């Protein structure tokens, strides 16, 4: 047991390379186990408790830290000062102020660790260039499960970040080019996955459900791609873009059963693309744009909600260039709009698009001029001629009634009736569906 070192000193300190440090207990030290400018070491099976830093690497590379337990420390495991290409895996860090920290480090792998019950689970600060955070359980922490701050070019994939008091996964900048994929960020108190002051990152293949705010949110960010995620049952929005945020792409996501909106944009979020998302059963609106959101392109989305859309800006609710899309076994080509559950227009020419705009977007005067779908035209006309008697004497009059009934589902125009017995003709004009003359 290594314990009770004086202030600034370590229980175990290593300044050489290719050592094995295992089976130790380091408690109540400044650093429990400390590597300084050291490489090629294996640190495994140790317990670090009650230290300022449980296991600390400083300017050290190509080390393996696995199977350790760090509890009740200021920081459970910390890599700092250009510590690169280290492997941190299968450790248990719980009850620390921060579970695992990367500071100014690159090329490290943090995988399959359990970071639970800390203030912050895993915290990446000023660390760029191919750090990988994967397969970790960052659940039930007092702040966020996984945080990236001023860090770029990192991969965060396959993690479980549920039930944290702030966000499951949070990136705040300036940060660029991070990949956030295939994570679970459910049941967090602020939100599932959140990016702010960043650009060029991607969120894909993740589940962000049952969070107390929104499932996936970005703020003051640009060129973010949000694709193939599921945002379900969140208290506010499934996917939320807060401005000024520009040139972001939200595509192929499922946003269902959220408390407010499926997808929402606000505060001058301009020039974004919202396409091919499934947005259903959201409580207030499927898509909502407010507070000066303009120039956004919204198309190929499937909407079936209490209210499908609201916007008070100037946006395009169809593609602005001709595109080709497969829908219900058909190939559609053109300036394609969206699929609306409450669109009741016709597709008389059978091209897969409605003949009249979708005009039920609330909040302003915007329309989807090329809605996908529409009812097939089914014209029908029934004619009936009846007499007021079955027998007459010579010289008596017979009164005939001729009734025309539109039995189809489209308005018939230029209707004319002709009696081939008497030669009489009547110009009827237009007959709406169900109307008779």
């Amino acid at each position: 047991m290594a314990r009770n070192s004086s202030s600034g000193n370590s229980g175990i300190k290593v300044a050489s390379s290719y050592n094995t440090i295992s089976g130790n207990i380091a408690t109540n030290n400044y650093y429990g186990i400390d590597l300084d400018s050291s490489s090629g070491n294996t640190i495994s099976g140790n317990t670090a408790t009650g230290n300022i830093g449980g296991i600390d690497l400083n300017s050290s590379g190509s080390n393996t830290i696995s199977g350790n337990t760090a509890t009740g420390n200021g920081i459970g495991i910390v890599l700092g000062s250009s510590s690169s290409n280290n492997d941190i895996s299968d450790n248990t860090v719980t009850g620390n102020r921060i579970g695992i920290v990367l500071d100014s480090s690159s090329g490290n792998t943090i995988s399959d660790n359990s970071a639970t019950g800390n203030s912050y689970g895993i915290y990446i600060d000023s660390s760029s260039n191919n750090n990988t955070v994967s397969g970790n359980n960052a659940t039930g922490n007092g702040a966020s499960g996984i945080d990236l701050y001023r860090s770029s070019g990192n991969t965060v994939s396959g993690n479980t970040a549920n039930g944290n008091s702030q966000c499951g996964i949070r990136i705040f900048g300036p940060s660029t080019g991070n990949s956030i994929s295939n994570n679970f960020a459910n049941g967090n108190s602020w939100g599932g996955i959140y990016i702010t002051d960043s650009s060029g990152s991607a969120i894909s293949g993740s589940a962000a459900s049952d969070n107390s705010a929104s499932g996936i949110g970005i703020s003051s960010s640009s060129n973010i791609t949000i694709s193939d995620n599921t945002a379900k049952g969140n208290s506010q929005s499934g996917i939320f873009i807060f401005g000024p945020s520009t040139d972001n792409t939200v595509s192929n996501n499922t946003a269902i059963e959220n408390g407010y909106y499926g997808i929402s944009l606000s505060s001058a979020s301009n020039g974004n693309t919202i396409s091919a998302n499934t947005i259903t059963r959201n409580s207030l609106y499927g898509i909502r744009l407010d507070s000066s959101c303009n120039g956004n392109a919204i198309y190929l989305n499937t909407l079936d909600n209490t209210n499908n859309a609201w916007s008070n800006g100037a946006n395009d609710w169809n593609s602005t260039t001709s595109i080709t899309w497969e829908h219900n076994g058909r190939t559609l080509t053109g300036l394609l709009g969206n699929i609306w559950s409450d669109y009741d227009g016709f597709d008389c020419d059978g091209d897969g698009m409605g003949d009249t705009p979708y005009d039920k977007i609330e909040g302003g005067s915007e329309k989807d001029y090329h809605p996908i779908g529409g009812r097939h035209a089914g014209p029908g006309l029934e004619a009936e001629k009846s007499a007021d008697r079955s027998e007459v004497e010579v010289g008596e009059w017979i009164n005939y009634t001729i009734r025309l009934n539109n039995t189809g589902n489209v308005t018939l125009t230029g209707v004319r009736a002709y009696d081939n017995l008497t030669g009489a003709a009547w110009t009827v004009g237009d007959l709406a569906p169900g109307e008779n003359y």
Side-chain angles (χ1 to χ4, degrees):
M1 177 180 290
R3 63 182 181 181
N4 300 329
S5 67
S6 58
S7 177
N9 293 312
S10 306
I12 299 172
K13 185 176 180 68
V14 178
S16 59
S17 299
Y18 304 105
N19 302 285
T20 297
I21 305 165
S22 64
N24 301 284
I25 298 174
T27 183
N28 295 328
N29 305 285
Y30 193 87
Y31 292 119
I33 300 173
D34 184 18
L35 272 66
D36 190 3
S37 301
S38 182
S39 63
N41 300 288
T42 298
I43 304 173
S44 63
N46 301 284
T47 299
T49 62
N51 306 283
I52 301 299
I55 299 173
D56 174 74
L57 274 68
N58 183 43
S59 300
S60 297
S62 302
N63 298 287
T64 298
I65 304 171
S66 66
N68 302 283
T69 300
T71 61
N73 303 283
I75 302 175
I77 299 172
V78 56
L79 274 66
S81 299
S82 302
S83 291
S84 301
N85 303 313
N86 297 286
D87 185 354
I88 304 173
S89 62
D90 297 300
N91 301 284
T92 298
V93 289
T94 184
N96 305 283
R97 186 173 65 84
I98 307 177
I100 299 173
V101 172
L102 261 66
D103 185 5
S104 303
S105 298
S106 63
N108 299 286
T109 298
I110 302 175
S111 63
D112 302 313
N113 300 283
S114 178
T116 64
N118 307 283
S119 293
Y120 291 87
I122 299 172
Y123 195 92
I124 315 296
D125 184 2
S126 303
S127 296
S128 302
N129 301 324
N130 301 318
N131 292 293
T132 298
V133 182
S134 65
N136 301 283
N137 180 22
T139 295
N141 295 286
S144 296
I146 300 172
D147 263 13
L148 274 68
Y149 176 50
R150 298 179 302 185
S151 298
S152 302
N154 300 292
T155 298
V156 180
S157 67
N159 302 283
T160 298
N162 298 336
N164 297 286
S165 295
Q166 293 183 6
C167 297
I169 299 171
R170 181 175 62 168
I171 299 175
F172 50 117
S175 298
T176 63
N178 295 292
S179 175
I180 315 299
S181 64
N182 302 312
N183 300 284
F184 295 91
N186 305 317
N188 299 286
S189 296
W190 283 11
I193 301 172
Y194 186 71
I195 297 180
T196 184
D197 296 321
S198 299
S199 64
S201 294
I203 305 171
S204 65
S206 296
S209 300
D210 301 316
N211 296 286
S212 296
S214 296
I216 298 172
I218 64 174
S219 174
S220 302
S221 297
S222 61
N223 295 303
I224 305 294
T225 299
I226 302 173
S227 63
D228 301 296
N229 303 285
T230 298
K232 178 181 179 182
N234 298 286
S235 296
Q236 296 181 11
S237 299
I239 298 172
F240 176 60
I241 299 177
F242 185 82
S245 292
T246 60
D247 301 314
N248 301 289
T249 298
V250 181
S251 64
N252 295 298
N253 301 283
T254 299
I256 63 174
E257 298 175 1
N258 296 288
Y260 290 176
Y261 317 119
I263 298 175
S264 62
L265 285 72
S266 69
S267 302
S269 292
N270 302 325
N272 302 286
T273 298
I274 314 297
S275 67
N277 301 284
T278 299
I279 308 165
T280 62
R281 302 193 300 277
N282 296 284
S283 295
L284 295 182
Y285 288 94
I287 298 177
R288 182 180 172 94
L289 293 81
D290 64 11
S291 303
S292 302
C293 291
N294 300 300
N296 297 288
I298 305 158
Y299 56 91
L300 303 185
N301 301 287
T302 299
L303 296 109
D304 185 1
N305 305 274
T306 304
N307 304 285
N308 276 326
W310 193 99
S311 176
N312 61 359
N315 302 283
D316 294 303
W317 291 82
N318 49 259
S319 62
T320 55
T321 59
S322 181
I323 59 175
T324 298
W325 192 51
E326 298 291 329
H327 177 61
N328 286 345
R330 300 182 58 186
T331 300
L332 309 182
T333 301
L335 303 177
L336 302 181
N338 302 277
I339 303 169
W340 306 91
S341 61
D342 55 348
Y343 179 63
D344 56 5
F346 286 98
D347 175 18
C348 291
D349 59 4
D351 66 352
M353 290 179 282
D355 301 327
T356 56
Y358 176 82
D359 58 1
K360 298 178 183 179
I361 300 171
E362 301 177 26
S365 58
E366 297 181 24
K367 299 179 181 180
D368 181 347
Y369 289 98
H370 303 280
I372 296 171
R375 293 180 291 163
H376 293 292
L381 181 63
E382 179 182 71
E384 179 188 25
K385 179 180 179 181
S386 60
D388 65 346
R389 61 188 68 190
S390 58
E391 295 182 2
V392 292
E393 299 293 333
V394 174
E396 292 184 330
W397 287 93
I398 302 173
N399 295 314
Y400 290 100
T401 298
I402 298 175
R403 182 178 299 277
L404 303 179
N405 183 37
N406 183 350
T407 59
N409 63 2
V410 293
T411 297
L412 301 175
T413 61
V415 177
R416 187 171 180 270
Y418 173 76
D419 181 15
N420 60 0
L421 177 62
T422 64
W426 299 266
T427 299
V428 177
D430 297 347
L431 282 178
E435 186 179 6
N436 58 66
Y437 176 88

